[in-house]
Amino acid sequence: MIKEFREFAIKGNMVDMAVGIIIGGAFATIVKSLVADVIMPPIGLLLGGVDFANLFVVLRGTGDFATLAEAQAAGAVTINYGVFFNNVISFLIVAWAVFFLVRAINRLKREEEKTEEAAAPPPTPEDILLLREIRDNLKQR
């Protein structure tokens, strides 16, 4: 079982997947910062100085909280719809980037397939005759 696991772990696909997960995690951090620090502040400014990270509704708790951190520190139960909105935008950016990455990979694969098809010469009439003869011999057995 250990030998089988080692073969599985060493396969190229497993290593590629691990690298993809690590890069994906780093990419997600960059996108989160892009949304929170670059995209949302101007949108909030355009909407009258709204800080999306601090948009929330208090379900249980007393007091008037200016920020989400204050509400959480006071133990209030909140629905954090501003944070959710930031996460939706982050998801859309990641999905958009992955779409373009997959699109580029598919384009490269198609070009590679075209190259392989162009490299393989079409069968000659002699090849076709030989293949028919082999097929007929196999049927007779």
Side-chain angles (χ1 to χ4, degrees):
M1 190 164 123
I2 292 173
K3 179 183 175 187
E4 202 173 324
F5 177 75
R6 188 177 326 145
E7 289 173 7
F8 170 75
I10 293 176
K11 283 185 180 177
N13 290 343
M14 183 69 160
V15 173
D16 292 343
M17 186 176 71
V19 169
I21 289 169
I22 292 167
I23 291 174
F27 184 67
T29 302
I30 291 170
V31 169
K32 184 176 181 180
S33 175
L34 174 69
V35 170
D37 303 327
V38 177
I39 294 175
M40 296 312 288
I43 291 174
L45 186 62
L46 289 173
L47 295 175
V50 176
D51 180 8
F52 282 89
N54 283 315
L55 293 179
F56 61 96
V57 174
V58 177
L59 296 178
R60 189 180 73 202
T62 56
D64 188 24
F65 307 109
T67 66
L68 178 60
E70 288 177 11
Q72 289 175 337
V77 178
T78 60
I79 294 179
N80 309 323
Y81 64 92
V83 174
F84 175 75
F85 187 66
N86 283 351
N87 288 333
V88 168
I89 292 175
S90 294
F91 168 78
L92 292 174
I93 291 171
V94 170
W96 180 73
V98 169
F99 167 74
F100 281 107
L101 177 67
V102 169
R103 185 174 174 215
I105 290 170
N106 287 339
R107 184 176 294 139
L108 289 173
K109 284 183 180 179
R110 282 193 297 265
E111 289 175 8
E112 184 178 304
E113 289 171 358
K114 286 180 185 177
T115 304
E116 289 174 0
E117 288 174 3
T124 63
E126 292 83 17
D127 293 337
I128 294 171
L129 287 173
L130 285 171
L131 289 171
R132 286 183 184 159
E133 193 174 315
I134 292 170
R135 182 193 65 204
D136 293 341
N137 285 337
L138 290 174
K139 283 183 182 179
Q140 291 175 358
R141 292 182 184 184

